[in-house]
Amino acid sequence: MEGFLADASRHLRVCAEGRTPVRFGVDLGTATIVLTALDDEGRPAYWDFVRATVVRDGVVVDFQGAVDAVRTLKSRAEATLGITIDEAATAHPPAVPASDCRACHFVLQQAGIECRALVDEVTAANALLQVRDGAVIDVGGGSTGVGVFRSGELVSLSDQAGGGHQLDLILAGALKLSIEDAEVRKREHGADVASLLRPGIERIAESIRRQCGGTPPGTVHLAGGALRLPQADTVIARYLGWPVRAYDHAELITPFGIAVS
Ligand SMILES: Nc1ncnc2c1ncn2[C@@H]1O[C@H](COP(=O)(O)OP(=O)(O)OP(=O)(O)O)[C@@H](O)[C@H]1O
Ligand SMILES: [Mg+2]
């Protein structure tokens, strides 16, 4: 897994040499919209992202903005890769109504991409992680999704508000910064603000604990960009008292998992 993610991370806006992208995924996130590509052997071939706030709480709130973001990603990929992207998979957060899921489908369609599969984010993440027993967590900008797997079966799936954006709000309040500046400070000087953000990270841990029904689910696998802060996994593990596994480039797990789906 670490090998796949490290490999994938090297192909931001560049095509992996000797790999022809054939399978695509689009992640319509709260903080970032990501396009990923795999070759015919399932190896990461390319990825790209734009930051956009067109989705809130798993719901597309700015339809045209979302379409424009996907169009940008599609045309950049096609120019770089010399191919056309006709279809892709996409994902929605667990527990969003079917009507909102359909919006994801329409965003792709309007951007000229046929939606070949629509899965929930946690299932997508696990298409890559392949956890058989344990919990898969996706902590993104807006929400924390939790799926518990037993013998390879998904036995519970839920989602609660709370993620990286809430950490931005805490930081903005504590340091009297705008939310935009707080976001930059968090990403670029994470170690310096770790202690300020600890209660916010513990709140995410509490959300995970609650969504797991309070009982240890086995190892907790952390996907998503929000916990890329130094020591965040340690804070989560201490709070829960459960085994936790973090991944470098955890923000790529769900987007590439979508392409795998
Ligand atoms: N280096 C970093 N350090 C701390 N936080 C980071 C870092 N990089 C990204 N983040 C945070 O991760 C979040 C985005 O993660 P991700 O891309 O997984 O979310 P998303 O898919 O857009 O949102 P969601 O899944 O909730 O819809 C943002 O809140 C961002 O601030
Ligand atoms: Mg996400």
Side-chain angles (χ1 to χ4, degrees):
M1 180 49 48
E2 261 78 9
F4 180 99
L5 294 170
D7 186 6
S9 72
R10 286 191 285 272
H11 306 305
L12 172 63
R13 298 185 191 118
V14 291
C15 186
E17 215 175 301
R19 297 180 194 171
T20 307
V22 293
R23 205 174 165 80
F24 304 92
V26 175
D27 188 352
L28 299 169
T30 306
T32 29
I33 315 276
V34 189
L35 181 137
T36 53
L38 302 168
D39 76 354
D40 58 357
E41 291 177 34
R43 296 176 298 187
Y46 173 91
W47 71 286
D48 190 4
F49 74 94
V50 289
R51 282 192 224 287
T53 46
V54 295
V55 177
R56 204 174 303 141
D57 301 328
V59 176
V60 178
V61 290
D62 174 1
F63 187 81
Q64 196 51 49
V67 170
D68 291 345
V70 175
R71 276 212 185 109
T72 300
L73 291 169
K74 173 174 151 77
S75 59
R76 220 142 68 184
E78 290 177 340
T80 307
L81 302 169
I83 53 162
T84 58
I85 299 175
D86 298 318
E87 55 170 39
T90 190
H92 57 85
V96 309
S99 56
D100 292 318
C101 295
R102 277 199 297 278
C104 300
H105 185 116
F106 291 138
V107 167
L108 262 62
Q109 209 168 43
Q110 279 297 310
I113 300 176
E114 205 47 52
C115 177
R116 66 169 167 79
L118 181 61
V119 291
D120 76 82
E121 285 171 356
V122 170
T123 301
N126 204 39
L128 199 62
L129 294 178
Q130 300 276 315
V131 170
R132 289 192 53 80
D133 288 284
V136 174
I137 318 293
D138 184 339
V139 193
S143 69
T144 298
V146 175
V148 177
F149 291 85
R150 288 271 160 273
S151 306
E153 294 278 314
L154 182 65
V155 295
S156 82
L157 179 65
S158 57
D159 196 43
Q160 275 184 358
H165 182 65
Q166 232 165 44
L167 300 180
D168 295 344
L169 295 178
I170 293 173
L171 207 55
L175 300 179
K176 310 259 179 291
L177 297 172
S178 69
I179 293 167
E180 293 72 25
D181 289 347
E183 159 79 19
V184 173
R185 181 77 67 94
K186 179 186 73 173
R187 271 191 276 117
E188 293 179 0
H189 302 279
D192 301 342
V193 297
S195 59
L196 281 174
L197 293 180
R198 192 188 172 106
I201 295 168
E202 288 179 338
R203 206 151 117 192
I204 292 169
E206 175 57 24
S207 167
I208 295 171
R209 195 192 62 75
R210 235 180 301 125
Q211 292 189 72
C212 287
T215 43
T219 298
V220 171
H221 298 260
L222 300 177
L227 297 179
R228 283 187 57 194
L229 290 156
Q231 303 297 314
D233 55 328
T234 314
V235 173
I236 302 267
R238 283 220 189 103
Y239 185 93
L240 293 172
W242 303 341
V244 166
R245 179 150 175 211
Y247 298 85
D248 283 342
H249 312 293
E251 75 283 5
L252 294 182
I253 296 173
T254 300
F256 272 97
I258 293 171
V260 172
S261 300

